[in-house]
Amino acid sequence: MSNRVAITEASQRIGELVVFQGWVQARRDHGKLIFIELRDRTGHVQVVFNPKDSEALHQKATQLRDEWVVEIQGEVIERPESMRQSDSSSGAVELRPKSLIVLSQAQTPPFEVVGDGYNIGEEHRLNYRYLDLRRPRMRKNIRQRHKVTTAIRNHLNNFEFTEIETPILTKATLEGSRDFVVPSRLQPGKFYALPQSPQQYKQLLMVAGFERYYQIARAIRDEDPRADRGFEHTQVDLEMSFVTRDEVMNFVEEMIKSLVAHIGGKTLTADPFPVLTYREAMTKFGADKFDAREDKANPNELAFAWVVDFPFFKTVDKGDVAEVRDGKSGWTFTHNPFSQPKEEFIDQHLKGDNIGAILTSQYDLVCNGFEVGGGSIRASDPKILRATYKIMGYDSEEIEASIGHMLKAFEFGTPPHGGIALGLDRLAMILAGEESMKEVVAFPMSGTGRTAVMDGPSKISPEQLDELGIALVSTEEDENA
Ligand code: ASP
């Protein structure tokens, strides 16, 4: 379409005939004049239908309703200083229309899409997420998230990292949660697991010699849904070869600082980020995810800090299905079974002595009371990794079945390596000053584990079940029927 311009460009087109396409955000009738607030992805502008200019066009404008999609051709007019709205991105100009085409009508939206939307019920917002995402706050959040991922990608690319995708249909990897499983049609009775993280694949990429890997990766864990999170989350997952713990921490810290500077509007409580041992954090704050801000209500202050020297193992919580499964001996890992114990504990680790006292090379990054990342230097010596599983009560056969492929890979020339995963949803939430991660995810799951708009999970047909070789026992619904 000729002369089609974005609304924010209008102020540079005074006196020109332009075409805008967008949504009717509001219609106000003032005596004979009809004012339309027209919105596109860039902003909004006022269109004034005056019967003196065209009776027919004015008549047509009386039909317009909120959220209709229209194309309007008109002349850009400079508005008198006294009438400019301070909150409008194009308040300096308005459009005098010459033609109006209705591209799509809209039903009355189930809720208003102009306000912040905090007081609308979650299910309602998620059922109509495509409308909820029209509100300026949500569009800003989603765009800012894009800015965050772009800045991170650029930073990592500048340091010669390679972005590599790893499989979604994979085999269980211990990350301390229940796996989501996917039945295999071609091998009935067998199941893939969705990745709880790309942990093992990223380590295999280090064996492969990539040295610097990253991925904006989806991690899927069957944890009980909480108010602010569903089953999947996004990680900035990275791994580096030939690095020490401090080198990874310094690298990540610099990346975070450049990200915060790029986003703007935030101040760091401390630079460099303080490093506390787990014990110090517990003594000082009573938690390993602590909030070191003076004023805890100030969302523009970011109190990043590192926590190190965590115990490698903990006793299994009998109420936690994943822990009971992973820790057969009654001991399970606190963070990551693939971590390297701290140097001074390696002997003890290999012997399985004084297990509770072994410290891991794990480092967590916290900010404003949240854990925003965690990683470690990895056990790249098969003896050490095998010892970890032995401590958790795995016999040789179970070790082989669980991580035999990693132990084998490590026999073929493995660089020392380590990495981290940063929680992108959480980071984006903190940077946006929001209190729930759902406010920075386009289509989050509801608190009851239902997908936005599409209403999953859903039943599958008897034919599909048959094809997968699956017979259902009984479901709660059947029992209630
Ligand atoms: N795989 C770990 C996680 O998802 C992160 C890491 O150690 O790199 O938490």
Side-chain angles (χ1 to χ4, degrees):
M1 165 63 62
S2 64
N3 250 352
R4 214 182 88 188
V5 298
I7 284 175
T8 42
E9 268 178 58
S11 55
Q12 289 131 52
R13 303 295 192 116
I14 292 163
E16 287 181 41
L17 210 54
V18 300
V19 174
F20 290 139
Q21 292 170 313
W23 286 257
V24 174
Q25 182 155 297
R27 193 193 90 195
R28 290 183 305 276
D29 293 11
H30 277 282
K32 288 233 139 67
L33 299 180
I34 297 176
F35 296 91
I36 297 293
E37 202 60 36
L38 186 71
R39 177 186 79 232
D40 72 1
R41 70 180 189 287
T42 64
H44 50 101
V45 70
Q46 179 165 279
V47 187
V48 187
F49 290 88
N50 189 336
K52 283 194 197 136
D53 294 338
S54 162
E55 191 67 56
L57 207 53
H58 180 268
Q59 184 54 34
K60 206 167 171 187
T62 60
Q63 294 162 13
L64 295 178
R65 296 290 179 274
D66 286 2
E67 301 307 311
W68 283 27
V69 182
V70 294
E71 178 178 305
I72 304 178
Q73 191 193 40
E75 186 190 346
V76 180
I77 309 280
E78 194 166 15
R79 302 179 73 206
E81 195 76 48
S82 57
M83 284 169 64
R84 293 183 188 179
Q85 300 165 7
S86 56
D87 65 342
S88 169
S89 47
S90 304
V93 295
E94 63 185 27
L95 195 73
R96 182 178 292 160
K98 302 273 185 242
S99 76
L100 165 66
I101 301 170
V102 174
L103 298 172
S104 170
Q105 298 190 358
Q107 287 184 27
T108 305
F111 43 69
E112 50 75 30
V113 299
V114 182
D116 65 25
Y118 286 121
N119 54 0
I120 304 168
E122 172 186 287
E123 295 274 341
H124 204 36
R125 284 180 66 194
L126 293 184
N127 276 339
Y128 293 96
R129 188 59 156 184
Y130 44 91
L131 296 179
D132 193 52
L133 288 172
R134 284 185 189 172
R135 67 183 73 258
R137 177 175 67 87
M138 292 306 290
R139 288 189 296 150
K140 182 161 168 251
N141 285 355
I142 299 296
R143 287 216 177 92
Q144 180 169 297
R145 181 189 172 112
H146 165 72
K147 201 169 164 188
V148 170
T149 45
T150 306
I152 288 174
R153 276 201 165 98
N154 287 342
H155 190 89
L156 292 169
N157 294 346
N158 285 342
F159 283 90
E160 294 172 26
F161 279 72
T162 307
E163 183 171 9
I164 306 176
E165 289 163 81
T166 53
I168 285 290
L169 288 176
T170 178
K171 196 182 158 182
T173 144
L174 302 192
E175 289 279 359
S177 299
R178 266 195 216 94
D179 288 306
F180 259 101
V181 293
V182 179
S184 161
R185 175 180 61 83
L186 294 176
Q187 297 173 57
K190 294 198 173 161
F191 296 81
Y192 299 97
L194 301 180
Q196 290 191 33
S197 90
Q199 182 69 39
Q200 297 188 42
Y201 285 114
K202 69 172 169 177
Q203 290 194 245
L204 293 173
L205 289 167
M206 297 302 105
V207 179
F210 282 94
E211 294 190 29
R212 293 172 179 207
Y213 140 95
Y214 79 95
Q215 179 179 195
I216 309 293
R218 212 59 77 75
I220 303 159
R221 303 178 183 185
D222 190 358
E223 293 171 324
D224 292 334
R226 292 191 213 147
D228 80 331
R229 78 155 176 232
F231 298 123
E232 47 185 303
H233 68 275
T234 306
Q235 305 183 334
V236 178
D237 194 47
L238 63 92
E239 197 75 6
M240 304 163 84
S241 290
F242 308 111
V243 281
T244 62
R245 183 187 78 171
D246 290 354
E247 282 169 340
V248 181
M249 287 165 60
N250 286 338
F251 178 80
V252 173
E253 182 165 330
E254 289 310 314
M255 180 172 83
I256 293 283
K257 283 182 206 159
S258 86
L259 170 67
V260 170
H262 181 73
I263 296 298
K266 306 271 172 190
T267 52
L268 296 172
T269 305
D271 180 5
F273 301 167
V275 182
L276 283 81
T277 64
Y278 171 70
R279 203 175 272 257
E280 285 166 349
M282 294 308 283
T283 310
K284 196 161 170 201
F285 298 101
D288 54 357
K289 311 182 220 322
F290 50 84
D291 191 344
R293 282 174 299 178
E294 285 275 315
D295 171 6
K296 310 246 182 294
N298 179 2
N300 289 328
E301 189 184 335
L302 302 175
F304 282 100
W306 290 101
V307 186
V308 296
D309 292 357
F310 291 92
F312 199 131
F313 299 99
K314 63 178 178 185
T315 49
V316 163
D317 169 358
K318 300 234 162 56
D320 186 310
V321 176
E323 283 191 16
V324 170
R325 184 205 57 204
D326 297 346
K328 299 170 196 291
S329 62
W331 287 104
T332 188
F333 55 92
T334 57
H335 287 77
N336 191 333
F338 293 97
S339 299
Q340 172 88 340
K342 285 195 80 186
E343 199 59 36
E344 55 274 36
F345 295 93
I346 288 181
D347 265 358
Q348 202 172 316
H349 188 91
L350 288 170
K351 290 186 194 134
D353 285 348
N354 203 2
I355 295 167
I358 300 170
L359 298 183
T360 157
S361 60
Q362 176 81 23
Y363 30 83
D364 275 4
L365 182 63
V366 300
C367 181
N368 295 6
F370 297 99
E371 182 194 320
V372 290
S376 62
I377 296 301
R378 320 303 181 185
S380 49
D381 175 345
K383 274 201 306 293
I384 298 177
L385 183 56
R386 196 173 269 120
T388 305
Y389 278 71
K390 251 174 102 176
I391 289 173
M392 296 194 296
Y394 287 60
D395 64 25
S396 305
E397 243 169 62
E398 288 166 329
I399 292 178
E400 196 47 42
S402 183
I403 48 154
H405 53 280
M406 298 299 285
L407 297 170
K408 187 165 156 193
F410 289 167
E411 303 284 358
F412 290 94
T414 305
H417 59 280
I420 197 166
L422 300 168
L424 181 65
D425 305 318
R426 197 161 272 161
L427 207 52
M429 172 188 92
I430 294 170
L431 290 172
E434 292 286 1
E435 284 178 8
S436 164
M437 289 192 271
K438 289 178 186 169
E439 305 295 348
V440 294
V441 176
F443 295 103
M445 198 166 264
S446 77
T448 58
R450 299 201 70 81
T451 57
V453 186
M454 293 202 203
D455 201 25
S458 56
K459 290 188 174 177
I460 60 173
S461 69
E463 292 75 30
Q464 278 174 297
L465 284 171
D466 222 31
E467 208 171 31
L468 296 167
I470 292 178
L472 295 182
V473 183
S474 71
T475 63
E476 246 172 63
E477 275 175 48
D478 295 334
E479 277 159 20
N480 297 338

